[in-house]
Amino acid sequence: EIKFEPNVMCEHIDKKLTFRASQLEDGDIVCFQKSPKADSGTQVRYPDIPSFLEYVHNRQVVHFRSLEKPKDDEFCLELSKLHTYDDVVERVARQLGLDDPAKIRLTSHNCYSQQPKPQPIRYQGVEHLLDMLVHYNQTSDILYYEVLDIPLPELQFLKTLKVAFHHATKEEVVIHSIRLPKNSTIADVIIDLKTKVDLSSPTAELRVLEVFYHKIYKIFPLHEKIENINDQYWTLRAEEVPEEEKNPSQHDRLIHVYHFTKDPLQNQQIQNFGDPFFLAICEGETLAEVKGRIQRKLQVPDEEFSKWKFAFISMNRPDYLQDSDVVSARFQRRDVYGAWEQYLGLEHTDTAPKRAYTANQNRHTHEKPVRIYN
């Protein structure tokens, strides 16, 4: 053995040569092996000294953790840093007693956050085990695994979206996982969703919205492809289209209605909260008439509703309204960047308990119960 780092160098010694001719001196390392029998036919993984030393040089004990329990080591495997992607998942499948290694999906470790990376490793997306373990020049010895219900190559042609379905009459939000081919459209999402949700009527129409920080940013057109939709940061919300919005007259307007409060610690800056929604308003309709419909829609008790204030808000600046003000007159202006920056604001106290999934807070005082279906 001539050297071990950075690469293994091990050369054959000719037994007929002297030590001097072979350049062997004090301190040199001589390795030997038994000569294999010519007729044995035995298959071994490392048949000679150079291949075995190459294994020793690259061997790596990897701690595998279930993605569902990212803090706990579940088992360890001694692997080679030169193992291919297929080698690694085959060993993991064998350890777990699975017949199909393609159903194993691996996720690398973030050395700084000590958490799994947000995105899993794509099928055959890396060449060697070493590529799975390196994170910004730091080498880890942890990998996370999960067992899929379908092979990963097939799954990668699909896209899974988390869609929060808001029932028209029930006080609940149900989170559904929709898994469709990447070239599917929002229309396909709605078709799939209708087979999973409890509609108020068999003829109910659904729409899918993009919600972020308690504002509605988009109604997805039915023809939009799902491949580029990001549900990691934006909340996808599905809801029934109310009857009063289906056949609007040319004078009706669909406005955004958001809940807000003003933070005294931040110079009375507006803070949105709760569930945003649309409201169809008629030409000439006063705030008093609109307030009555909003109270019925949100089912707010009279005592609480009497404390609410109403404002036309544009670019985060409130203009408080009186009961006699014509609401539609305020929404004629279009000198704003987007519709979500021009809305009817409902100012009242935010008494909703805080939780991680804030986008599903209830309409005014408490959260809707959330159920999650995979």
Side-chain angles (χ1 to χ4, degrees):
E1 177 188 330
I2 297 170
K3 65 176 183 176
F4 197 71
E5 295 288 351
N7 300 303
V8 174
M9 187 173 180
C10 187
E11 294 185 350
H12 176 71
I13 297 174
D14 188 342
K15 292 186 291 184
K16 297 178 181 179
L17 298 179
T18 64
F19 283 1
R20 178 176 295 175
S22 298
Q23 296 183 338
L24 291 172
E25 302 175 357
D26 287 352
D28 282 345
I29 300 172
V30 176
C31 307
F32 69 93
Q33 68 181 80
K34 291 182 179 180
S35 297
K37 295 180 181 179
D39 57 349
S40 66
T42 304
Q43 294 291 325
V44 292
R45 182 170 294 179
Y46 309 109
D48 52 33
I49 290 173
S51 63
F52 176 74
L53 289 183
E54 194 69 41
Y55 162 71
V56 172
H57 180 260
N58 290 291
R59 65 183 168 186
Q60 172 73 55
V61 175
V62 181
H63 300 261
F64 285 90
R65 300 176 179 180
S66 169
L67 198 61
E68 296 178 351
K69 298 178 180 179
K71 296 294 184 183
D72 304 327
D73 287 356
E74 192 160 314
F75 58 87
C76 299
L77 294 176
E78 186 178 273
L79 305 170
S80 168
K81 294 175 184 176
L82 300 181
H83 273 166
T84 65
Y85 173 92
D86 290 335
D87 292 333
V88 176
V89 293
E90 190 275 330
R91 288 290 302 278
V92 174
R94 192 191 315 165
Q95 174 72 27
L96 298 174
L98 292 178
D99 295 331
D100 188 358
K103 289 186 178 181
I104 298 291
R105 182 161 65 178
L106 301 174
T107 300
S108 297
H109 180 69
N110 185 318
C111 298
Y112 300 106
S113 68
Q114 296 297 309
Q115 294 286 335
K117 289 186 180 180
Q119 298 299 326
I121 299 169
R122 292 182 60 81
Y123 176 72
Q124 296 181 338
V126 295
E127 289 191 29
H128 301 110
L129 172 64
L130 182 61
D131 302 318
M132 304 181 192
L133 301 178
V134 172
H135 175 71
Y136 290 112
N137 297 323
Q138 300 263 352
T139 301
S140 167
D141 62 353
I142 298 170
L143 282 177
Y144 304 87
Y145 78 90
E146 56 187 316
V147 180
L148 306 173
D149 53 357
I150 61 174
L152 182 56
E154 181 180 338
L155 179 63
Q156 287 186 176
F157 285 104
L158 303 176
K159 185 177 179 71
T160 300
L161 294 175
K162 296 286 187 183
V163 180
F165 177 68
H166 289 227
H167 198 278
T169 57
K170 295 181 181 179
E171 288 291 315
E172 68 176 8
V173 174
V174 182
I175 311 297
H176 288 278
S177 288
I178 309 296
R179 182 183 291 170
L180 294 169
K182 291 181 178 179
N183 61 352
S184 301
T185 63
I186 288 293
D188 299 315
V189 172
I190 290 175
I191 291 171
D192 187 270
L193 202 56
K194 282 186 174 181
T195 66
K196 299 176 178 178
V197 302
D198 180 20
L199 299 174
S200 62
S201 140
T203 59
E205 296 180 18
L206 294 183
R207 64 186 172 199
V208 180
L209 315 174
E210 186 177 70
V211 179
F212 188 63
Y213 276 97
H214 315 285
K215 291 183 177 182
I216 299 170
Y217 281 78
K218 184 177 184 178
I219 302 177
F220 285 101
L222 295 178
H223 58 78
E224 181 152 346
K225 301 284 187 182
I226 69 171
E227 184 171 6
N228 298 321
I229 294 177
N230 186 347
D231 64 344
Q232 298 297 313
Y233 303 102
W234 308 83
T235 299
L236 301 185
R237 186 173 99 189
E239 62 185 20
E240 295 184 20
V241 180
E243 288 298 324
E244 63 267 21
E245 295 181 23
K246 290 183 179 178
N247 298 299
S249 72
Q250 67 180 70
H251 300 297
D252 290 346
R253 295 182 63 83
L254 193 65
I255 65 172
H256 293 235
V257 185
Y258 303 154
H259 304 269
F260 79 96
T261 186
K262 288 191 288 189
D263 190 344
L265 300 178
Q266 298 187 24
N267 197 26
Q268 297 294 312
Q269 185 175 345
I270 285 179
Q271 301 286 339
N272 294 104
F273 66 92
D275 254 349
F277 60 94
F278 289 116
L279 187 71
I281 59 171
C282 303
E283 182 76 17
E285 195 172 16
T286 64
L287 177 63
E289 296 169 313
V290 171
K291 283 169 61 175
R293 292 199 290 122
I294 290 175
Q295 183 178 9
R296 289 191 295 273
K297 178 180 179 67
L298 302 184
Q299 300 173 14
V300 186
D302 290 341
E303 183 179 356
E304 180 186 345
F305 195 71
S306 64
K307 303 174 185 177
W308 289 23
K309 297 179 182 178
F310 295 78
F312 169 78
I313 297 180
S314 179
M315 304 303 288
N316 231 30
R317 293 189 295 270
D319 180 9
Y320 289 94
L321 303 175
Q322 303 299 318
D323 284 355
S324 58
D325 288 337
V326 177
V327 178
S328 59
R330 297 300 182 100
F331 286 89
Q332 298 302 317
R333 290 181 290 170
R334 300 181 183 274
D335 56 342
V336 292
Y337 176 74
W340 58 88
E341 295 295 359
Q342 183 187 64
Y343 60 90
L344 179 63
L346 315 180
E347 183 181 9
H348 59 98
T349 304
D350 178 12
T351 58
K354 305 302 180 186
R355 72 161 56 166
Y357 198 81
T358 55
N360 286 327
Q361 287 180 343
N362 193 15
R363 299 168 299 190
H364 51 280
T365 58
H366 61 279
E367 287 186 336
K368 293 181 180 180
V370 177
R371 289 186 292 163
I372 300 176
Y373 292 120
N374 292 318

